[in-house]
Amino acid sequence: MPFRDRVDAGRALAAALRHLGPDQPVVLALPRGGVPVAAEIAASLGAPIDLILVRKIGVPVAPELAMGAVVDGSEPLVVRNDDVIAQIRISEAEFRRVMKEELAEIDRRRRLYLGDRPHPVLSGKTVIVTDDGIATGATMRAALQAVRGQNPKRLVLAVPVAPTSTLAELRDEADEIICLEDYEPFGAIGYSYDDFSQVSDQEVVGTLARFTRPAEEAASAPRDP
């Protein structure tokens, strides 16, 4: 059954994640499409929200085909799809050229979306990673591996829709997977939504602002003795 939009999908996911509320989880979104989904989960669970900036490294002649993915960080995590690289005969120089383009886009998004906004601590926390859906799983695999490297207590993958086979391939990357609908064969993610309009940069910035307390409010908030 299609979701009305990403907000509808996020609310449905939030209901499926209620059992994690007592864990005081952190919600991480893959921008841009995952942000409206994550916002509904974070609002329902009273959880902080942050972004995990990951980009697919697409084959130059077929950008939708992932030859890898890269995740933001002081030392960016690069995940390579060696089968695709070998099959298409991608040179190392070509791989690195496309990777640098995606790193530049990650840098643009980091500056625009986050600025100097601090990241929540993930070590020892329950972390929920979400997007508006999964197709090949290349970017999600990279995202989960990057989060795992920050030593969360529990890592949960939560998405509205995904291919059954991709979920099976990601099983070892997360401690728990919540997916509301999975299919095989699988078409495009957008087929599962009545409204799959592109999420704008401004919407991402505005959503994050809703979950950021003004400095003066934080300063005046009561503190634990």
Side-chain angles (χ1 to χ4, degrees), residues 38-94:
E40 296 303 317
I41 297 171
S44 175
L45 300 181
I49 184 173
D50 197 24
L51 305 180
I52 179 160
L53 298 172
V54 55
R55 293 286 294 176
K56 175 172 59 181
I57 303 173
V59 172
V61 297
E64 291 304 311
L65 178 60
M67 57 181 176
V70 59
V71 188
D72 190 29
S74 55
E75 295 184 8
L77 172 68
V78 180
V79 176
R80 302 167 67 100
N81 189 339
D82 291 324
D83 290 342
V84 170
I85 291 171
Q87 181 179 359
I88 309 296
R89 298 182 178 179
I90 300 294
S91 69
E92 181 62 21
E94 197 167 22

Side-chain angles (χ1 to χ4, degrees), residues 182-204:
D182 63 279
Y183 309 107
E184 208 70 57
F186 186 83
I189 295 172
Y191 294 167
S192 295
Y193 289 84
D194 292 331
D195 179 1
F196 199 61
S197 304
Q198 186 176 27
V199 177
S200 68
D201 286 339
Q202 291 72 23
E203 185 175 351
V204 172

Side-chain angles (χ1 to χ4, degrees), residues 1 7 26 47 77 85 111 128 159 181 198 203 213 217 225:
M1 179 180 298
V7 170
V26 176
L77 172 68
I85 291 171
R111 288 184 283 106
I128 301 170
V159 288
E181 297 191 17
Q198 186 176 27
E203 185 175 351
R213 300 170 70 188
E217 178 185 338

Side-chain angles (χ1 to χ4, degrees), residues 4-132:
R4 289 192 302 275
D5 53 21
R6 292 179 179 88
V7 170
D8 180 44
R11 288 173 179 168
L13 264 182
L17 293 164
R18 281 197 193 112
H19 64 288
L20 296 176
D23 292 349
Q24 298 182 312
V26 176
V27 182
L28 300 183
L30 274 66
R32 291 178 295 213
V35 173
V37 178
E40 296 303 317
I41 297 171
S44 175
L45 300 181
I49 184 173
D50 197 24
L51 305 180
I52 179 160
L53 298 172
V54 55
R55 293 286 294 176
K56 175 172 59 181
I57 303 173
V59 172
V61 297
E64 291 304 311
L65 178 60
M67 57 181 176
V70 59
V71 188
D72 190 29
S74 55
E75 295 184 8
L77 172 68
V78 180
V79 176
R80 302 167 67 100
N81 189 339
D82 291 324
D83 290 342
V84 170
I85 291 171
Q87 181 179 359
I88 309 296
R89 298 182 178 179
I90 300 294
S91 69
E92 181 62 21
E94 197 167 22
F95 182 91
R96 294 187 68 82
R97 179 184 64 80
V98 180
M99 181 185 71
K100 287 181 180 179
E101 292 175 355
E102 298 305 338
L103 281 170
E105 174 61 13
I106 284 176
D107 181 64
R108 183 194 75 85
R109 291 187 175 198
R110 185 197 317 111
R111 288 184 283 106
L112 176 61
Y113 299 161
L114 299 173
D116 58 359
R117 186 177 189 267
H119 293 289
V121 174
L122 302 184
S123 178
K125 298 282 189 178
T126 293
V127 179
I128 301 170
V129 178
T130 192
D131 201 352
D132 54 15

